[in-house]
Amino acid sequence: QICFSLVKLLLYLAHSPLGSIVLLDFQPRQFVMVDGNLKVTDMDDASTEELSCKEDNDCTLDFPAKSFPLKCSAVGKCEGINEKKNLFNAYRYFFTYLLPHSAPPALRPLLSDILNATGDLRYGINETLEAFEKVLHLYSSGLYLQEKPLLLKDYISLKGFRTVEGEGYKCWPSYSHLGCLLSIHSAEEAAAICNSQSQCQSFIVTQQRTWTGRPLASFQSSWTDLIPDTNAVVYIKRSASSGERL
């Protein structure tokens, strides 16, 4: 969410009514999330000036670990230098820390492609946004899921119930540091996740949703002490419930 919102912000800066705007003090502390969107908190160090040049050799974009040769345009400006500077800073301050983590395994190669392409400045901001939108579509629609044996049949479902808080275990990446709370596309995907975790005996799906519209599921190490909750469905492993009364 943070990276996608940042890319949309950089797209606006690249095509703003004032021209291409570069953030000269590009640091994470200069941004804040407001209602799920990334905002710039300080525009004092923003500029629409693009580096003047006489030849291509005048247009080297330098960073501490990398340099990029750019073209000198017919009007004597280094082509796209502001856009590329913002994009590489997004790569080194945000993408490298956030993109490799938390994504489902099937989507990680696509995020790795974005990471490599922005790190080498092979993508401009338009191509970067298109790549993010593709990943977001696959993620939100569940199209990234591969055909697997149906596992939900191994679970008993009880609508209108959930387990008592405190029976959870911790997992990564979780939306809650107190337990194992993950976003899912469907109960079938939740069953596959539960089967992959040795501690998991049950999971609860509620009406709570993430910013992409995906429901959240809480994975539990126990299923006892059920309490009514009209907005929830609890799924219990048949093997865990054998010999017990529901």
Side-chain angles (χ1 to χ4, degrees):
Q1 183 181 14
I2 293 171
C3 292
F4 183 61
S5 185
L6 177 58
V7 169
K8 290 191 291 184
L9 173 61
L10 296 188
L11 180 73
Y12 173 79
L13 294 179
H15 304 290
S16 83
L18 299 176
S20 183
I21 299 174
V22 63
L23 302 177
L24 300 175
D25 186 19
F26 198 116
Q27 300 282 342
R29 65 173 179 267
Q30 300 285 14
F31 300 89
V32 64
M33 290 292 284
V34 180
D35 297 328
N37 294 306
L38 208 65
K39 305 286 187 180
V40 182
T41 60
D42 185 1
M43 293 293 289
D44 289 344
D45 293 310
S47 173
T48 58
E49 291 294 321
E50 291 191 305
L51 186 64
S52 298
C53 58
K54 293 182 178 179
E55 57 183 28
D56 290 350
N57 288 338
D58 298 329
C59 293
T60 301
L61 183 56
D62 290 317
F63 291 95
K66 277 190 175 182
S67 295
F68 301 95
L70 304 180
K71 296 289 185 181
C72 182
S73 71
V75 296
K77 297 290 184 180
C78 296
E79 287 185 358
I81 191 168
N82 287 351
E83 172 187 330
K84 293 180 185 297
K85 187 170 185 178
N86 283 341
L87 189 54
F88 189 79
N89 278 328
Y91 158 80
R92 66 178 182 145
Y93 287 118
F94 287 88
F95 298 171
T96 53
Y97 297 104
L98 300 177
L99 284 188
H101 310 294
S102 305
L107 292 178
R108 288 174 192 167
L110 296 177
L111 293 177
S112 181
D113 288 344
I114 294 175
L115 197 62
N116 293 333
T118 53
D120 294 334
L121 286 184
R122 287 185 284 110
Y123 281 180
I125 190 62
N126 293 340
E127 295 86 354
T128 303
L129 179 61
E130 288 176 6
F132 268 99
E133 287 176 336
K134 177 182 177 181
V135 174
L136 180 60
H137 173 66
L138 293 172
Y139 183 63
S140 301
S141 64
L143 291 173
Y144 68 92
L145 293 169
Q146 301 173 349
E147 291 293 333
K148 292 182 178 180
L150 298 178
L151 301 173
L152 201 58
K153 60 180 176 20
D154 297 329
Y155 289 77
I156 298 169
S157 66
L158 296 173
K159 293 183 179 180
F161 290 93
R162 63 176 173 84
T163 57
V164 176
E165 297 294 333
E167 294 294 339
Y169 58 90
K170 295 180 181 181
C171 69
W172 187 93
S174 174
Y175 281 82
S176 170
H177 67 280
L178 298 176
C180 186
L181 186 65
L182 304 174
S183 78
I184 58 170
H185 175 257
S186 63
E188 186 64 53
E189 183 181 15
I193 294 172
C194 189
N195 276 24
S196 70
Q197 298 176 343
S198 60
Q199 310 100 309
C200 187
Q201 297 298 315
S202 65
F203 61 89
I204 307 151
V205 179
T206 69
Q207 294 182 357
Q208 188 179 1
R209 307 240 167 201
T210 68
W211 69 282
T212 61
R214 288 162 57 97
L216 290 175
S218 176
F219 297 86
Q220 308 284 323
S221 57
S222 173
W223 61 269
T224 55
D225 299 325
L226 297 178
I227 59 176
D229 186 339
T230 57
N231 296 319
V233 182
V234 60
Y235 295 83
I236 304 165
K237 280 184 178 178
R238 293 184 184 275
S239 58
S241 63
S242 59
E244 301 282 353
R245 292 184 62 188
L246 290 179

